[in-house]
Amino acid sequence: MSGNEVLLEVDDLKKHFKVNQGWIASLVESFGRGEPDYVHAVDGVSFELREGETLGLAGESGCGKTTTGMSLVKLHDPTAGDIVYDDTRLSEASDAEIKQFRQNAQMIFQDPFESLNPRMTVYDTVAEPLRIHDIRNETARVQRALEFAELLPAEHYFDQYPHELSGGQRQRVAIARALVLDPDFIVADEPVSMLDVSLRAGVLSLLDRMTDEFGLSVVYISHDLSLLRHMCDRLAIMYMGKIVEKGPTDQIIENPQHPYTQALINAVPVPDPAVGRERVELQGEVGDVIDIPTGCRFKNRCSEYIGDVCDQVVPPLEAKTDFEQDVACHLYDSAEGYDPYQEMTGSPSAAETGDEPESTPADD
Amino acid sequence: MSQLEVEDLEVYYETEEGPAQAVDGVSFEVEEGENIGIVGESGCGKTTLAKAIIGILPDAGYINNGSINFKGDDLTEMTNAQRRRLKWEEISMIAQSAMNSLDPVYTIREQIVEAIETHRPGTGRVESGEIVTQMFELVGLDPERADDYPHQFSGGMRQRAMIAMALALEPSLMLADEPTTALDVIMQDQILKRMSSIQEEINSSMLVITHDVSVVAETCDRVIVMYAGKIAEEGPVEEIFNQPYHPYTIGLKRAFPNIRKSSQDLLSISGYPPELIDPPQGCRFAERCPMATDRCREEEPEAHYENGLRSYCHYADEIDTELRPYADDPGTWDQAAAATDGGVEE
């Protein structure tokens, strides 16, 4: 592992999907009346992925974590924002650069029953990326990948079809397929959630070994925080298309600051009857990602709601004065001196209650 | 007296190659107001067991032997009509993916009212409407939305509506098969909390079937660990978690990451459960157990009783000495896996 160099930089990534309408609505729209609706699946996400680092993306269903992951390997083209890989902005990259990127960015999907072509043998499945990228030494590479994935002896699996394999073995084939091109980073979307309990640990330790031995960076996408704590160096918690908290894993799990992160972590059951946990009830459900509310997206469910500032000003994800992780919440003081009260509309009194950062002598 | 007594139950499925022994000689009791968790991997027979109790086995399944006594009556000897009367009223079930088992062409209210009126023919519209309101409030849904159709609800709301329906007649036994597996953690937490508070209120007992050891740790009084159609170990939840005697329980417990621990080695039980059409003659777990001896492969283990636990392992009386740390070490299991891997393809 070569340490701290940034491998991938995600810069204000947005991915919106047009809501599917009936043909009458599209007709009306084509006459220039009404705006189409968009699902704001990912709405301004920025983070860095360093070499050899494991990053976890967590959140409830519909928070945009899978869309973010798919955008990372360019299975989606972003609506706005960009991904910078190896000093190249992907939006401006040439075809050759994109091909190079695709070779280095691989994905492991949630359901190994769906992600493998039922008509292809294990050998062809794993060899296909090599053929696409015109890489020689096919047999030796396929064999090595299968052996790494603990499918032994590899030749035994060459001519098997997915239906002859168990779920755990299929997921290992998917891992071998992702590794065969020797990529720089892998996005793993719920890699073990479809597997039986007794097999999960085996696949997880394989993924662990993969990170160590190949010096890979991995983005794990999961709603299972116990699993992410086990696998990741850093975590990013997402809510309604935005990251609300981001930082070192232990820091976030043991000392969460955003009210949403706190609720999420409190809700995770503990496999130990002796541990009592405080259960905070979160009101309501995840809001509408079509008609985005103003201000903080979590305000309606938040137990710490502090009034107009939450209603009007979108809290930026930023460093705060009192702790290590970045948090998007108005409760805490910005380390950079940003004052959300200044952005409030038509309420001079509110501005006064702020600390007037302009005049406060930050430079003493 | 126990509310439910399952004795020596055998449930088989007819297959082309002969009967598959999905549940094989299972006995346990459920006391009034008690919560029992049944854990085990897919195919261990936990769902079949629940289906046999409520009497909804698929056509190929049948009860080969044994009895299921519910409040003194043997369910296996009842006619379908007698059983139907018990369903919802006395025993209700929240099925796996229950959120997809609502009828899409009726409103939620109509479906709950139908269940109430079928079982309590005298109940008037107003009264059953009140029950719906009450149940909706209990599970944290807005009663005004009872007139919505299932598609207007989110997954979590539908699951809660199903729970409201299962509770409407205040059954004395609830069977919950993976009640929260399809849900996000926050919703899971809320539903589990609601279920236990409702349960206290109507003093019903519950059988929770799940693969998630942590859900059981938080909601149940006692746990049954099943493996390949048989009970491997059974007892109070604290004992099962702190001092289990069966190697399978030890392995299963260590296979889950715990959010409260920063670094932990996960344990992986390699291999697969045996075929249930022709199960091995000795201990069913022997093939995957790192501590198995020839005795395990030949002789079926008897129950060992200690500390309130019932454990089916030949070496349960020795595990308290040096075996437990050995079984608790993931390395032990990895070595066993490597040994069998080498020997499989000859």
Side-chain angles (χ1 to χ4, degrees):
Chain A
M1 271 186 280
S2 52
N4 285 351
E5 253 171 83
V6 175
L7 179 72
L8 198 73
E9 197 187 327
V10 178
D11 181 17
D12 201 22
L13 185 78
K14 291 184 181 169
K15 179 67 194 172
H16 300 170
F17 296 100
K18 197 168 168 184
V19 175
N20 218 345
Q21 300 167 316
W23 67 275
I24 295 181
S26 2
L27 206 65
V28 171
E29 188 191 306
S30 70
F31 283 111
R33 291 181 203 178
E35 283 281 303
D37 286 333
Y38 287 94
V39 173
H40 299 64
V42 178
D43 209 12
V45 159
S46 306
F47 59 88
E48 287 172 351
L49 182 66
R50 295 170 195 279
E51 273 179 28
E53 177 186 61
T54 48
L55 172 75
L57 287 181
E60 291 171 277
S61 334
C63 71
K65 56 191 193 297
T66 294
T67 308
T68 306
M70 289 174 81
S71 305
L72 283 183
V73 294
K74 256 190 117 41
L75 287 173
H76 286 312
D77 281 322
T79 307
D82 213 339
I83 294 169
V84 185
Y85 167 76
D86 206 10
D87 295 329
T88 316
R89 300 190 81 82
L90 289 187
S91 60
E92 297 157 3
S94 65
D95 287 354
E97 282 168 327
I98 291 285
K99 197 171 180 198
Q100 175 75 20
F101 172 77
R102 288 201 189 275
Q103 191 176 330
N104 277 308
Q106 295 292 319
M107 183 147 185
I108 297 166
F109 296 91
Q110 176 171 15
D111 188 350
F113 294 83
E114 302 269 332
S115 68
L116 300 179
N117 186 335
R119 292 169 170 240
M120 281 167 86
T121 61
V122 168
Y123 182 88
D124 285 334
T125 302
V126 180
E128 195 184 25
L130 295 170
R131 292 173 190 157
I132 291 169
H133 289 282
D134 221 1
I135 293 170
R136 284 154 181 256
N137 227 343
E138 194 178 281
T139 317
R141 275 177 169 257
V142 171
Q143 176 150 5
R144 220 183 49 199
L146 288 176
E147 276 167 5
F148 182 82
E150 291 160 7
L151 292 166
L152 299 165
E155 295 86 355
H156 175 74
Y157 291 93
F158 278 2
D159 295 325
Q160 293 200 317
Y161 285 91
H163 74 264
E164 296 172 87
L165 306 174
S166 70
Q169 288 169 328
R170 285 184 219 207
Q171 199 60 307
R172 287 170 191 274
V173 172
I175 293 171
R177 175 177 62 184
L179 286 174
V180 74
L181 287 171
D182 203 1
D184 282 348
F185 76 96
I186 287 186
V187 175
D189 188 0
E190 301 275 13
V192 297
S193 69
M194 298 293 287
L195 304 181
D196 215 336
V197 277
S198 62
L199 302 173
R200 283 187 190 182
V203 172
L204 289 178
S205 73
L206 170 64
L207 290 167
D208 244 350
R209 210 154 57 77
M210 171 181 95
T211 327
D212 286 352
E213 287 182 25
F214 287 70
L216 274 176
S217 310
V218 187
V219 177
Y220 286 102
I221 297 168
S222 180
H223 67 278
D224 184 345
L225 283 163
S226 317
L227 178 115
L228 291 177
R229 167 149 214 199
H230 180 68
M231 302 296 289
C232 300
D233 304 327
R234 285 198 307 137
L235 280 185
I237 310 288
M238 288 187 70
Y239 186 76
M240 282 176 78
K242 279 188 174 302
I243 294 177
V244 295
E245 187 159 355
K246 182 177 78 173
T249 302
D250 285 348
Q251 188 65 27
I252 289 197
I253 301 278
E254 275 162 23
N255 195 18
Q257 297 298 330
H258 195 285
Y260 177 66
T261 317
Q262 291 169 352
L264 197 64
I265 287 168
N266 263 319
V268 178
V270 181
D272 184 349
V275 174
R277 73 190 156 88
E278 192 190 334
R279 297 170 94 157
V280 189
E281 183 138 339
L282 201 55
Q283 296 301 319
E285 304 208 12
V286 180
D288 185 0
V289 283
I290 296 174
D291 196 9
I292 296 286
T294 57
C296 176
R297 294 175 186 204
F298 187 60
K299 64 186 178 195
N300 293 332
R301 301 172 81 188
C302 187
S303 53
E304 310 281 337
Y305 178 76
I306 48 170
D308 290 348
V309 67
C310 298
D311 273 331
Q312 294 179 17
V313 186
V314 178
L317 180 67
E318 57 174 358
K320 301 288 183 181
T321 46
D322 296 330
F323 32 81
E324 228 178 305
Q325 67 264 44
D326 293 353
V327 183
C329 181
H330 294 312
L331 283 177
Y332 309 102
D333 287 337
S334 165
E336 308 282 322
Y338 166 78
D339 178 18
Y341 291 94
Q342 290 236 312
E343 292 190 20
M344 289 174 64
T345 46
S347 123
S349 59
E352 278 162 31
T353 57
D355 279 333
E356 296 172 320
E358 239 73 86
S359 53
T360 35
D363 43 349
D364 42 2
Chain B
M1 197 187 71
S2 305
Q3 191 173 56
L4 179 76
E5 272 180 53
V6 174
E7 220 179 300
D8 207 19
L9 187 70
E10 289 176 6
V11 186
Y12 290 2
Y13 285 110
E14 207 55 72
T15 73
E16 280 172 18
E17 291 124 77
Q21 304 169 20
V23 174
D24 191 9
V26 164
S27 308
F28 66 93
E29 292 175 10
V30 183
E31 306 286 333
E32 201 171 293
E34 191 176 41
N35 275 2
I36 298 211
I38 303 184
V39 295
E41 52 200 296
S42 332
C44 72
K46 51 193 198 297
T47 297
T48 302
L49 182 61
K51 285 185 172 168
I53 292 170
I54 200 171
I56 51 166
L57 283 171
D59 289 343
Y62 58 94
I63 292 173
N64 188 54
N65 188 28
S67 61
I68 305 169
N69 274 300
F70 178 72
K71 293 188 171 172
D73 298 319
D74 189 351
L75 297 179
T76 60
E77 283 171 4
M78 281 189 183
T79 62
N80 281 342
Q82 285 172 313
R83 267 174 174 256
R84 248 196 315 272
R85 224 165 295 138
L86 280 182
K87 244 180 258 174
W88 296 110
E89 176 98 55
E90 286 284 354
I91 308 177
S92 69
M93 182 156 179
I94 303 161
Q96 207 166 349
S97 69
M99 54 196 202
N100 297 326
S101 45
L102 290 162
D103 191 330
V105 298
Y106 293 99
T107 64
I108 311 276
R109 180 188 300 282
E110 284 165 345
Q111 299 186 47
I112 301 180
V113 166
E114 189 192 355
I116 298 172
E117 287 177 349
T118 313
H119 287 279
R120 302 197 180 144
T123 322
R125 279 275 137 164
V126 181
E127 199 184 324
S128 40
E130 273 167 15
I131 298 181
V132 173
T133 306
Q134 244 175 39
M135 287 301 139
F136 259 56
E137 275 166 1
L138 265 180
V139 298
L141 288 170
D142 179 1
E144 280 177 25
R145 296 206 52 187
D147 293 309
D148 283 1
Y149 288 90
H151 77 270
Q152 291 167 293
F153 275 26
S154 72
M157 291 164 76
R158 263 180 282 167
Q159 190 77 359
R160 280 185 279 174
M162 268 314 289
I163 293 170
M165 199 159 151
L167 294 169
L169 294 168
E170 308 198 347
S172 37
L173 175 66
M174 272 195 289
L175 306 178
D177 188 1
E178 304 276 8
T180 55
T181 304
L183 305 174
D184 279 314
V185 271
I186 289 181
M187 195 51 67
Q188 160 172 303
D189 191 44
Q190 289 178 10
I191 287 184
L192 290 177
K193 199 165 71 176
R194 287 249 157 71
M195 278 169 70
S196 39
S197 67
I198 294 166
Q199 227 198 319
E200 251 164 57
E201 208 162 299
I202 64 180
N203 194 27
S204 68
S205 34
M206 185 158 70
L207 215 55
V208 187
I209 294 158
T210 177
H211 67 277
D212 192 338
V213 174
S214 36
V215 168
V216 165
E218 292 199 345
T219 52
C220 296
D221 308 310
R222 281 200 300 138
V223 183
I224 295 173
V225 180
M226 279 187 78
Y227 184 77
K230 284 185 175 296
I231 292 182
E233 190 157 29
E234 180 259 340
V237 66
E238 293 83 12
E239 301 300 328
I240 286 275
F241 275 89
N242 297 334
Q243 290 265 297
Y245 287 79
H246 198 292
Y248 182 60
T249 315
I250 299 175
L252 201 60
K253 197 184 67 153
R254 287 294 305 269
F256 279 87
N258 182 340
I259 193 168
R260 301 289 168 91
K261 291 187 179 150
S262 65
S263 70
Q264 51 200 323
D265 278 338
L266 292 188
L267 182 154
S268 148
I269 307 172
S270 71
Y272 303 95
E275 282 292 335
L276 295 175
I277 292 172
D278 182 23
Q281 53 168 331
C283 170
R284 296 205 168 170
F285 187 57
E287 206 186 316
R288 301 169 78 186
C289 181
M291 279 147 286
T293 62
D294 286 342
R295 183 181 170 206
C296 301
R297 283 179 275 269
E298 282 153 21
E299 203 182 307
E300 207 179 308
E302 298 277 321
H304 170 89
Y305 295 91
E306 197 167 334
N307 271 346
L309 290 176
R310 168 165 59 123
S311 322
Y312 292 86
C313 175
H314 285 307
Y315 298 99
D317 52 343
E318 289 171 38
I319 202 140
D320 257 341
T321 55
E322 71 268 32
L323 275 178
R324 196 191 306 277
Y326 181 67
D328 210 25
D329 176 10
T332 307
W333 297 72
D334 289 345
Q335 276 164 21
T340 50
D341 268 356
V344 162
E345 296 296 328
E346 290 296 311

